Every structure is written in C-alpha cells, then in structure tokens.
Amino acid sequence: MSFPASASPLSDVGRALAVFAHPDDIDFGCAGTIATWVEEGIQVAYLIITRGAAGGADATSQAELPQLREREQRAAAAAVGVRQVEFLDGYADGALAPTPGLRRDITAVIRRFRPDRVLTNSPLRRWEQLVGPGHPDHMAVGEATTSAIYPDARNRFAYPELLAEGLQPWVVREVWYFGGPAPDHVVDVTGQYDRKVAAMRAHRSQTAHLDVETWVRDQLRTVADNAGLPAGRLAEAFTVLRTE
C-alpha cells in the first residue's frame, strides 16, 4: 500500500493541540517538534486521554502511578515550553476504543481550544513497530481524534449538548500524525535536543532505566539519516494532512 505525500505545513498556525493516549507518548515521539513550534510562537496545548496507570518501568505501585505520571507529564511539558496540559477522566489505560463518548470529549476540547493544527497518534499500525507506535490505545486515540476533527468538531448537529455549553463548531485546518506508515515530513530538531532529553527525563517512572541521552540521539539520528539530512542532524518525522 502506498500513501500520498504529506501536504506542506500551514505557515500561519497560531494554536496547536496534541492529543495522545498516555503520559510520555508526546515526548517519546514529538517533544523536539513541539519545542520548535513553541519557539516559533505557536500556542501549544496537550490533551492526554489516560493517566497511564497500566505502564511503569520502576517499582511504583499501580495505585500511585496516575498522580505520579500526571506530575511527570506536566514537568515534561514545561521542559519544552508548554503550560496547558489537560487530562480526561474515566478512560482506562490499555482499554481505549474510538467510542462516541471519547469522540465527544475530544471534540469538546477542540471546540474550546480552537486549534489550527492537531497532532495525534496515527490510527494506522506499522507492523514493523508493533511495540510502541502499534499500541492499540495509540490507534484508538488516533481514530477518535480523526473523527473528532472530521466530522464532529465542525458539525453543529454532532453532540448538540456542546452547543448548549457554548462550544461552537470549529474547523481544524491541519492534522499531523505520528507513528504511522511512511511518515515523510521531517522536522530538524537538532537545536531542540536538550529540551527533548529534559522532557524524556521528566518521565522518570518510564525512563530511569534508560540512557536517555544516547537513546534520544540514536532515535533522532536514524530518522534524520533515513530522510537524507546532513550527517549529525537529528529529526522527527510525521504525516501531514490538510483538513479544510
């Protein structure tokens, strides 16, 4: 299966919303790019669907994980200049599905924040990356977010209770997918390496066992090399679609 080339990113983005399944998903995949957006003056907000109670690499008990991982995510966001971080309640780590309820909750945030750009997980699995990007929660959030972008957020007949809350329809103009097949839009994040490392280190419950500096450099260098960037550059890769 082949995919069309990514669209050229919009040049006049004022707000971007990142919607991901778990604390740390954004930072493993996208922290360097988000730091770049913040430096460009884009207002970035995060929406995290769960608090990651089913994932931990240290001895923290499951009862302690949700609050701990929320604190870690807020610290990681601050490391790249993001101050607005929202979590949804009522969604279990490891059991997400693109239900009408999840679509409604994402739609509500889109209408409230009114982003030009949404960054989210790909709803398509890469079989060679079954571990990580292939997590079923990631794909569920990618599918629910895609449906929230179109048709839900822009359709005044979708979830009429949102209108009663003052949340008017909103058209997201662009979507960026992380972790999908054949990502072809590459962002050079060499200058954001330190911020990416700081964001990753903030997720101590997930990364304390890693040599974070080496892991980040190796991952980003591979992306840059595969994209044909000059030697020594670091990059993150996405698929970009226009949604207007």
Side-chain angles (χ1 to χ4, degrees):
M1 180 182 294
S2 61
F3 298 88
S6 286
S8 298
L10 294 169
S11 60
D12 59 347
V13 171
R15 294 186 178 204
L17 175 67
V19 184
F20 284 79
H22 315 107
D24 81 26
D25 288 348
I26 293 173
D27 300 296
F28 270 90
C30 316
T33 297
I34 288 172
T36 298
W37 293 350
V38 171
E39 282 199 350
E40 292 172 352
I42 297 173
Q43 182 181 350
V44 181
Y46 291 174
L47 175 62
I48 313 299
I49 307 304
T50 79
R51 289 173 172 79
D58 63 12
T60 304
S61 71
Q62 190 170 32
E64 297 174 292
L65 271 175
Q67 290 186 341
L68 172 61
R69 297 198 69 188
E70 179 174 342
R71 291 195 301 270
E72 290 176 342
Q73 181 60 84
R74 294 188 187 281
V80 296
V82 173
R83 299 292 181 264
Q84 185 171 339
V85 181
E86 182 174 344
F87 289 82
L88 293 182
D89 293 320
Y91 293 98
D93 181 3
L96 296 181
T99 61
L102 179 55
R103 287 168 54 178
R104 178 202 179 280
D105 288 345
I106 297 171
T107 295
V109 175
I110 289 173
R111 290 189 183 183
R112 186 167 63 248
F113 186 65
R114 301 166 77 84
D116 302 297
R117 173 183 292 162
V118 168
L119 167 64
T120 191
N121 293 113
S122 170
L124 301 176
R125 173 174 277 153
R126 293 181 64 176
W127 291 111
E128 77 276 19
Q129 291 190 333
L130 182 63
V131 177
H135 192 296
D137 280 358
H138 296 175
M139 291 182 294
V141 169
E143 178 61 33
T145 303
T146 300
S147 298
I149 292 168
Y150 178 82
D152 298 342
R154 67 184 67 189
N155 181 3
R156 66 188 179 91
F157 297 114
Y159 312 112
E161 67 273 20
L162 297 181
L163 291 177
E165 298 172 16
L167 298 176
Q168 297 296 319
W170 179 255
V171 175
V172 174
R173 300 164 59 205
E174 182 181 82
V175 59
W176 288 41
Y177 289 115
F178 171 74
D184 63 344
H185 179 72
V186 176
V187 179
D188 188 324
V189 297
T190 309
Q192 306 298 342
Y193 169 75
D194 289 341
R195 290 182 176 87
K196 170 98 170 182
V197 168
M200 291 282 290
R201 282 180 170 160
H203 296 284
R204 183 167 177 77
S205 66
Q206 313 301 303
T207 64
H209 64 293
L210 294 176
D211 178 348
V212 173
E213 290 191 4
T214 300
W215 188 92
V216 169
R217 188 172 295 280
D218 288 349
Q219 294 291 316
L220 301 187
R221 181 179 290 144
T222 297
V223 173
D225 290 347
N226 289 342
L229 271 60
R233 306 307 290 179
L234 308 174
E236 295 170 341
F238 306 90
T239 301
V240 179
L241 299 178
R242 293 286 179 86
T243 50
E244 293 178 287

